Amino acid sequence: MEAAPIRKVKRVIVDRNLCIGAGSCVVAAPTVFELNGENKAVIKQQGGVKNSGPAEREVLEDQAIPYETLLAAAQSCPTKAIIIVDEQGTQIYP
Amino acid sequence: MNEVKYLIVGGGVAGTTAAETIRATDKEGSIAIVSDEPYRFYSRILLSKPNFFLEKIPFDQIWLKDEAWYRQNQISLMLGKEATKLDPKGRVVSLNDGSAWHYEKLLLAVGACARRWSVPGAEKKGVLSLRTLDDAKEVISRVKNIKQAILIGSGFISFEMADMLVMAGVDTTLVILESYYWEPVLDEASGRMIEKVLIEHGVKILHKSEVFQIEGEENVTGVVLKDGTKLPCQLIVAGIGVECPLGWIKEAGVIVNRGILADEYLQTNFADIYTAGDCAEFNDLVLGERVLLGNWVNAQVHGRTAAANMVGGHQPSKMVSFYTTQGMGLAIAFVGNVRVTPDREVVVRGTLEAGSYGRLILHNGKLVGATLLNLTREMGMLAKIIERGADLTAKKPFLADLKNDLSMI
C-alpha cells in the first residue's frame, strides 16, 4: 500500500452558528484560536485580524502551526464547528 | 474471563478521548469501553444549548464519532452496561450482564450524575434533569407543546434552559433557594446582572423559594411552593448540581472523596488504575490544590493525559480550566478556581454600568480564578496570568480598571 500523501491545510473556517465557546480549539491550538467577547472562537491572523474566517493558511498569525495540530483542534470541537480545507479544495474535516 | 489490555469505564469525552489517544501510541493493544448509556460518544455539552433544542443545529450534529470509527480503531464498545464490581488485586471488573473483564490498565471515567431531587412527585413525567441524551430528547419533545415551564436552581444549566425556553415562547419561572442568581458562587452584583437579562427576556424569578410538592397524575401539571404558591407547568428542569456515582469504586478500596482521588498523573491509589474527567478529584499543579472540575475541556485534557500515562508515559495534567456560556446578550465565563474561600480576595474589574463585570480571585496575591460577565475577551490572558503565578499584590488598582490592558501585567 502506498503511503498517504502529506496533506496541507489551505483554509480554516469557524461556523459561528455552531460554535458554543467550549474552547477545546483554544486548548489544542492556542496560537490559532481564541474566544472573543461573544464566546465565539476566532482565528488569529496577521496584522491583528481576528475573525471566524475563512482564513487562508498564509494569513494565519502562526505560520508554523503543524497540520496535525490544526486537525486535532478541529477534531476536538464538541460541535464540529471548525472546517478545514486542504490545498486541493477538499474539506478534510468534518 | 475476558481479557483486555485497556479497559475504560465511561464512554463520554474523557473515556473516548483516552481510547483515541491510547490507539495513537499502542496500535495493537486491545481497548474496550463500557458505557451505561445506550449511545456511542456524543456531545454532552451540546445538550443544554438553545440552538440544539430549537433544532437550529441539526440533531445529528450530536454524534462525535460514527460507528465505523470504533471499528477502524479496533475499540470495542459495550453499550447499556454497568460496571458493578472491581477487584483491583486480581485486576477484574464485573459488569451487570454477568461478564468479567481482566485488564492490564483501567480508566475510571464514569462522569457525574445529576443530583437526585427528593421532592414529592419528582418521579412524574416532565420532571427532568439535563445530563443524558435521553433527558434532552424528552425536553425537545415536550417544549413544542407546553405553555409554562419551571427551572430549579441557579447555574449554567438554568441560564441556558431559560434562554432556550424564552426563544421557544414558553412562559418560564425560575425557582431558586438563594437570594440572588448563583449565590454564593457569584457576588450579588454579578447575580443581579444575570437576573436583569433574564427578567428583560420575560423570565420570572422567585427568590428564597423551594418546591414543596409536584402535582399531576402521570405528567406534571404544576408545583406547590413551600409558601403555598401554586404554579402551573408542564415541564420542570432541575439544575441542582451533580454527584459522582462511586459506590462500586469505593467498595473496591479506591480512595474517594467527592470524586475519585488522583495525583497530577491521574493515577489513583492503585498503580494500574487511572481516572479522568468529571469524576476525577486530582492534584491540579496550576492551582496547587486537589480539585474536582466538571467541564468539557478539562475532561478532554484528562482523557489525553491519563491515556499517555496508561501507555507508559509520565505526563502531568496541567491546564487552566474554563467554561463559558452565552445567551440573551450576556456572555458568562468562569476560568480557574472560582471558589472564594475566606483566605481569598476578590478584585472587581469593570462596573455594572460599563456592562462588563469581572471578579478576579487572588490567593496569597496570586490570581487563581475569575468570573467574567461580558469579558470573555480577557479570559485567555487571565488564564496565562493564572498559569504564570506572579504576585499581583501591588497591581490590584491596575487590575480593577477596565481601561488597563492585562497583557501589560
Side-chain angles (χ1 to χ4, degrees), chain B residues 14-205:
Chain B
T16 309
T17 304
E20 185 170 32
T21 310
I22 290 169
R23 184 53 81 224
T25 305
D26 186 340
K27 309 279 185 207
E28 306 292 325
S30 55
I31 304 175
I33 298 176
V34 181
S35 172
D36 60 2
E37 289 192 65
Y39 308 109
R40 64 183 191 274
F41 177 40
Y42 63 84
S43 184
R44 195 178 307 281
I45 191 174
L46 202 51
L47 295 182
S48 58
K49 303 296 171 189
N51 283 348
F52 171 66
F53 273 104
L54 304 174
E55 292 165 285
K56 288 182 192 170
I57 295 178
F59 184 86
D60 279 343
Q61 203 75 16
I62 199 94
W63 306 112
L64 294 180
K65 300 287 183 202
D66 54 23
E67 279 161 11
W69 179 84
Y70 292 90
R71 229 178 13 252
Q72 284 155 6
N73 287 283
Q74 292 171 297
I75 295 166
S76 66
L77 180 63
M78 294 181 269
L79 294 175
K81 291 184 181 164
E82 279 177 48
T84 53
K85 193 166 172 259
L86 164 62
D87 168 10
K89 300 238 156 45
R91 295 184 178 159
V92 178
V93 170
S94 308
L95 306 185
N96 64 344
D97 63 358
S99 67
W101 293 78
H102 181 263
Y103 60 82
E104 283 180 37
K105 305 276 180 184
L106 172 66
L107 179 64
L108 301 171
V110 297
C113 295
R115 186 168 288 149
R116 249 174 56 86
W117 196 34
S118 54
V119 166
E123 73 292 344
K124 291 190 202 306
K125 286 190 178 165
V127 183
L128 295 156
S129 56
L130 197 59
R131 195 67 199 169
T132 66
L133 186 50
D134 283 335
D135 295 334
K137 282 180 171 176
E138 184 73 25
V139 177
I140 289 172
S141 78
R142 285 191 173 255
V143 84
K144 292 170 186 156
N145 310 306
I146 61 169
K147 285 196 169 64
Q148 297 113 338
I150 288 178
L151 300 172
I152 312 292
S154 55
F156 281 111
I157 293 287
S158 284
F159 183 77
E160 292 176 344
M161 283 294 93
D163 188 23
M164 181 274 287
L165 290 164
V166 163
M167 281 198 236
V170 177
D171 183 353
T172 304
T173 304
L174 183 66
V175 176
I176 62 175
L177 262 175
E178 299 82 20
S179 58
Y180 63 84
Y181 202 87
W182 230 319
E183 184 185 17
V185 177
L186 293 179
D187 64 350
E188 184 167 353
S190 304
R192 297 288 178 221
M193 190 165 159
I194 295 171
E195 289 185 354
K196 188 165 171 273
V197 303
L198 288 167
I199 293 164
E200 279 169 3
H201 285 78
V203 177
K204 289 182 275 299
I205 305 175

Side-chain angles (χ1 to χ4, degrees), chain B residues 125-387:
Chain B
K125 286 190 178 165
V127 183
L128 295 156
S129 56
L130 197 59
R131 195 67 199 169
T132 66
L133 186 50
D134 283 335
D135 295 334
K137 282 180 171 176
E138 184 73 25
V139 177
I140 289 172
S141 78
R142 285 191 173 255
V143 84
K144 292 170 186 156
N145 310 306
I146 61 169
K147 285 196 169 64
Q148 297 113 338
I150 288 178
L151 300 172
I152 312 292
S154 55
F156 281 111
I157 293 287
S158 284
F159 183 77
E160 292 176 344
M161 283 294 93
D163 188 23
M164 181 274 287
L165 290 164
V166 163
M167 281 198 236
V170 177
D171 183 353
T172 304
T173 304
L174 183 66
V175 176
I176 62 175
L177 262 175
E178 299 82 20
S179 58
Y180 63 84
Y181 202 87
W182 230 319
E183 184 185 17
V185 177
L186 293 179
D187 64 350
E188 184 167 353
S190 304
R192 297 288 178 221
M193 190 165 159
I194 295 171
E195 289 185 354
K196 188 165 171 273
V197 303
L198 288 167
I199 293 164
E200 279 169 3
H201 285 78
V203 177
K204 289 182 275 299
I205 305 175
L206 301 178
H207 298 103
K208 295 181 181 171
S209 297
E210 214 175 329
V211 173
F212 173 68
Q213 134 183 332
I214 296 163
E215 299 194 308
E217 295 291 323
E218 194 186 348
N219 286 286
V220 57
T221 56
V223 297
V224 181
L225 303 184
K226 285 200 169 159
D227 68 3
T229 308
K230 287 191 174 188
L231 301 168
C233 67
Q234 301 80 42
L235 172 71
I236 302 177
V237 180
I240 53 169
V242 293
E243 56 197 5
C244 299
L246 304 177
W248 63 278
I249 293 166
K250 194 177 170 183
E251 279 165 26
V254 177
I255 301 174
V256 305
N257 181 33
R258 284 199 303 137
I260 299 166
L261 291 193
D263 61 13
E264 60 270 32
Y265 304 100
L266 302 174
Q267 198 169 34
T268 67
N269 56 310
F270 291 100
D272 40 19
I273 303 178
Y274 293 78
T275 184
D278 291 8
C279 65
E281 192 169 340
F282 71 109
N283 187 30
D284 188 316
L285 290 178
V286 179
L287 299 172
E289 60 182 327
R290 231 190 253 263
V291 289
L292 183 66
L293 303 168
N295 68 64
W296 185 268
V297 278
N298 177 66
Q300 212 163 38
V301 170
H302 271 190
R304 287 185 201 128
T305 305
N309 295 334
M310 288 166 78
V311 296
H314 196 58
Q315 180 184 315
S317 182
K318 198 162 186 261
M319 76 164 294
V320 179
S321 167
F322 58 88
Y323 192 82
T324 73
T325 191
Q326 55 94 29
M328 298 174 274
L330 184 67
I332 305 174
F334 286 7
V335 55
N337 190 341
V338 300
R339 263 187 322 137
V340 182
T341 46
D343 56 345
R344 291 184 185 164
E345 190 185 353
V346 176
V347 176
V348 169
R349 179 169 169 80
T351 60
L352 294 180
E353 294 70 36
S356 294
Y357 187 89
R359 291 159 66 246
L360 312 188
I361 299 154
L362 305 182
H363 182 59
N364 295 331
K366 292 177 183 173
L367 187 67
V368 293
T371 64
L372 306 169
L373 300 180
N374 287 338
L375 264 178
T376 313
R377 62 180 185 274
E378 294 190 336
M379 189 176 76
M381 187 53 66
L382 288 165
K384 277 184 200 152
I385 297 171
I386 293 171
E387 200 164 2

